[in-house]
Amino acid sequence: MKRITWLRLAGTVTWPSFLCAGLASVVFFATFDPRELGLAATFATPLSRMAGYTLGFLGFWAVAGLSSLLTAWLILGFSQVREDPLHED
Amino acid sequence: MTAKKTPQAAPSGGLYAKTEKIYPREVRGRFARMRTLAVFVLLGIYYLLPWVQWNGHQAVLFDLPARKFHIFALTFWPQDFFYLAMLLIIAALSLFFFTALAGRLWCGYACPQTVWTEVFLWMERLAEGKAAQRAKRDRGPWSREKLLRKVWKQAMWISFAAWTGFTFVGFFTPIRELGLHLVNFNPGPWEGFWIVFYGFATYGNAGYLREQVCKYMCPYARFQSAMFDRNTLIISYDEARGEPRGARRRGVEPASVGLGDCIACTKCVQVCPTGIDIRQGLQYECIACAACIDVCDDVMDKMGYPRGLIRYSTENAMEGKPSRVLRPRTFVYGALLLGLIGALITAVSLRVPLRLDVIPDRNALYQVVDATHVENVYTLRILNMDTRPHRFRITPEGLPGVRLVSDAETREVEAGGVLSVAARVRVDISALQGMRHDLEFRVESLDGSVSAEHETRFLMPVGGR
């Protein structure tokens, strides 16, 4: 029985969430200017655009990554025996 | 998340079970040449494009700090998001089209993962020699030579990855300025972050993860099979011709020893960057790099057998059925693709580089002037998306006797500039009944080359007069 490696789990979680975060960032920041968002925030912060894009992207990535991680957990569980759900040899 | 090690988990090295490292054997041939060509063309474009100048500015610059995309003579704004969306749809559809036609062409030749891995492999070869030598040295003990070779490889990898990260950021902030800042060790903190981030991602993905990205992480690798059918060109092993496989001396007629054409040299397995055996049929790990075709053709030549024991073929052809590359699926994808590309080109060439936004004043809905006229005040935002300045005339339209009360006849807006104008619009109080009326603002350049309209509302006093 094949087990999924930690590396593979990390890849499965980080990479798709990275792609989704990229897409989300494009759509979101085409709609909103991060500099104005910074000023309109509850705790108004002067934010350079590059800072806004970067933090926004990392935020999207974190959220999407957390969701991926939960999904992975629900499917696999982090038990000691890690069967490969997709491929069996 | 700490995992307990149990006897069950132990045999293949616990939870940190290491993936067997793959040392793909080097290969020469037609497809290897095409792959090398693709590497040079694609990476050539990537590394050189940010340095190309056009009319005094960087020819291709996705200027995120300024929220403007420069692509040669064109400048795109966030308002032009529609074109980007269209471009993404075209990209997705091209992927469908080429996958239906000839399988994972994208993976084998154009994917950044493949392309950068190829370059990192070249460097590895340069420092540590051929696959067999590398594998042997990696198994052996550390020596001065091994250390030096590893250091040399790391030096090449890291500097190449750093340059890659720098180039990446150079697409988003002017690369010449970025270079200057970098020479002074003073890139912006965020630029610095992205250089390191992208550089590190390149280093990790192309240096270490390699085929695992394709096998475990890539979504396309999983859904591409949905676009396959029995007429898709895929890399196939001709089982009928090859089996039963077995070793024999050079020049021996296969039939005379009761064997097929496959001499069981396993070279097709040794060259495979994902470590599969193509003779077991199409597998999801196969990235269609065609290395096995090249190496098998070479072996067939040496044996004096015809080439193509492993070749691009379709499932139908392999089963001796008629096979058609041109079929409804390719026609539909192709037609859609051509239609969308045509639509995008038309849309971009018809694009008016001017945008007008009208915001009615919220403080005073209307104002009665001299008991004879009603005035509404608006803020007009004129966005000149053209690459040259324009002088604009603003005209309100759609109401009887409507006119603009303004101190300036026309307004100049620089190239890529935004101008906010307060506009007072006046209408004779007796000319209109009812509270709410439609009003249109029209902005036109004096030379008549660009114009834009925006509809808004005009409010009258409650109960008219």
Side-chain angles (χ1 to χ4, degrees):
Chain A
M1 235 180 293
K2 219 165 151 187
R3 281 165 301 115
I4 184 170
T5 62
W6 282 111
L7 185 70
R8 181 173 170 190
L9 179 68
T12 316
V13 168
T14 50
W15 181 240
S17 50
F18 176 87
L19 294 178
C20 293
L23 190 67
S25 302
V26 170
V27 175
F28 186 82
F29 289 120
T31 320
F32 300 103
D33 182 342
R35 203 160 54 183
E36 282 160 31
L37 281 182
L39 296 175
T42 313
F43 303 101
T45 330
L47 205 61
S48 81
R49 280 183 177 144
M50 281 305 262
Y53 296 132
T54 308
L55 296 175
F57 170 77
L58 293 177
F60 280 130
W61 196 11
V63 172
L66 188 64
S67 165
S68 293
L69 188 65
L70 287 174
T71 307
W73 182 45
L74 291 175
I75 292 175
L76 303 167
F78 295 127
S79 64
Q80 56 275 58
V81 181
R82 225 153 289 267
E83 283 176 48
D84 187 323
L86 296 163
H87 309 281
E88 284 169 301
D89 334 43
Chain B
M1 278 204 295
T2 41
K4 282 176 287 180
K5 279 198 174 178
T6 67
Q8 282 164 298
S12 55
L15 288 172
Y16 294 89
K18 232 176 121 96
T19 318
E20 200 70 30
K21 189 172 177 195
I22 294 169
Y23 298 90
R25 190 189 166 110
E26 6 330 276
V27 60
R28 279 202 204 93
R30 292 178 285 162
F31 296 106
R33 276 198 297 278
M34 271 164 64
R35 261 202 327 280
T36 310
L37 185 70
V39 168
F40 274 97
V41 170
L42 295 171
L43 289 189
I45 292 173
Y46 176 80
Y47 289 104
L48 296 179
L49 198 55
W51 299 97
V52 178
Q53 293 286 107
W54 179 271
N55 277 342
H57 67 82
Q58 192 171 323
V60 175
L61 176 65
F62 307 114
D63 195 344
L64 288 180
R67 293 175 72 73
K68 282 179 225 169
F69 287 4
H70 301 281
I71 300 167
F72 293 92
L74 295 169
T75 302
F76 291 95
W77 294 64
Q79 284 81 356
D80 294 317
F81 183 73
F82 164 75
Y83 301 105
L84 182 64
M86 221 166 147
L87 200 64
L88 290 177
I89 295 171
I90 289 174
L93 205 63
S94 319
L95 204 58
F96 290 8
F97 176 71
F98 286 110
T99 308
L101 208 60
R104 296 170 70 171
L105 286 177
W106 165 259
C107 301
Y109 300 93
C111 178
Q113 179 62 27
T114 309
V115 170
W116 268 311
T117 299
E118 190 87 15
V119 177
F120 271 60
L121 265 171
W122 291 344
M123 291 180 197
E124 195 164 58
R125 250 165 234 164
L126 202 63
E128 298 188 46
K130 292 189 168 183
Q133 289 172 292
R134 289 206 303 276
K136 195 176 162 205
R137 195 178 295 115
D138 279 356
R139 280 195 304 271
W142 279 94
S143 65
R144 195 182 129 82
E145 192 211 349
K146 183 170 171 177
L147 182 73
L148 281 177
R149 284 181 186 277
K150 294 274 180 196
V151 168
W152 169 221
K153 176 181 84 174
Q154 291 295 340
M156 281 194 285
W157 277 9
I158 291 170
S159 35
F160 188 72
W163 188 258
T164 306
F166 166 68
T167 306
F168 176 75
V169 176
F171 274 96
F172 301 99
T173 55
I175 197 164
R176 284 155 203 259
E177 286 169 38
L178 185 67
L180 277 179
H181 290 315
L182 214 57
V183 172
N184 298 322
F185 295 102
N186 187 27
W190 305 106
E191 284 84 352
F193 167 79
W194 283 111
I195 292 175
V196 172
F197 182 91
Y198 200 83
F200 181 74
T202 309
Y203 173 84
N205 283 338
Y208 293 98
L209 293 178
R210 294 188 179 167
E211 80 287 347
Q212 298 184 66
V213 174
C214 316
K215 279 156 79 170
Y216 304 133
M217 288 152 75
C218 179
Y220 169 68
R222 296 297 166 88
F223 72 69
Q224 44 87 21
S225 60
M227 284 166 268
F228 275 41
D229 56 36
R230 303 182 63 82
N231 287 309
T232 299
L233 280 170
I234 49 175
I235 292 170
S236 339
Y237 164 68
D238 194 337
E239 207 175 330
R241 186 185 141 190
E243 300 296 315
R245 66 182 81 145
R248 80 288 310 260
R249 271 202 295 278
R250 184 172 296 195
V252 172
E253 194 55 43
S256 65
V257 284
L259 290 171
D261 279 2
C262 176
I263 65 165
C265 64
T266 70
K267 278 201 176 145
C268 53
V269 182
Q270 294 170 37
V271 296
C272 181
T274 67
I276 58 168
D277 186 344
I278 191 69
R279 294 171 300 177
Q280 290 166 8
L282 183 68
Q283 293 145 70
Y284 84 101
E285 290 97 334
C286 173
I287 58 164
C289 69
C292 49
I293 300 186
D294 277 336
V295 79
C296 188
D297 278 351
D298 210 31
V299 170
M300 291 295 113
D301 286 353
K302 281 190 187 129
M303 295 300 292
Y305 301 163
R307 287 181 164 199
L309 180 59
I310 303 173
R311 62 178 186 271
Y312 271 108
S313 184
T314 71
E315 226 178 307
N316 272 344
M318 277 294 174
E319 289 168 12
K321 293 177 191 156
S323 172
R324 288 176 308 148
V325 172
L326 299 176
R327 54 194 192 276
R329 186 189 281 253
T330 45
F331 278 125
V332 170
Y333 283 159
L336 272 174
L337 197 55
L338 280 179
L340 273 173
I341 292 173
L344 181 65
I345 292 173
T346 316
V348 169
S349 55
L350 292 179
R351 171 177 172 266
V352 178
L354 173 66
R355 194 182 155 90
L356 173 67
D357 289 313
V358 179
I359 306 137
D361 186 18
R362 287 197 190 86
N363 296 324
L365 296 178
Y366 59 87
Q367 200 179 352
V368 181
V369 185
D370 301 337
T372 54
H373 288 87
V374 177
E375 247 180 39
N376 277 203
V377 179
Y378 306 88
T379 305
L380 268 53
R381 274 178 76 236
I382 303 169
L383 187 62
N384 178 11
M385 303 193 284
D386 211 346
T387 45
R388 60 198 171 97
H390 282 294
R391 185 160 273 281
F392 296 102
R393 171 173 288 120
I394 305 162
T395 23
E397 290 172 351
L399 297 174
V402 62
R403 64 193 176 89
L404 192 69
V405 185
S406 169
D407 47 352
E409 264 288 289
T410 58
R411 306 274 181 167
E412 170 103 4
V413 188
E414 57 177 341
V418 188
L419 183 72
S420 282
V421 188
R424 292 192 293 154
V425 175
R426 191 175 285 187
V427 173
D428 195 314
I429 202 162
S430 58
L432 292 174
Q433 301 296 320
M435 257 184 72
R436 195 192 162 94
H437 302 273
D438 290 335
L439 171 73
E440 191 177 69
F441 276 101
R442 185 180 158 77
V443 169
E444 189 178 12
S445 65
L446 292 190
D447 61 7
S449 62
V450 285
S451 67
E453 294 85 33
H454 195 285
E455 201 157 277
T456 183
R457 51 145 174 82
F458 187 89
L459 295 180
M460 294 290 282
V462 185
R465 246 166 285 190

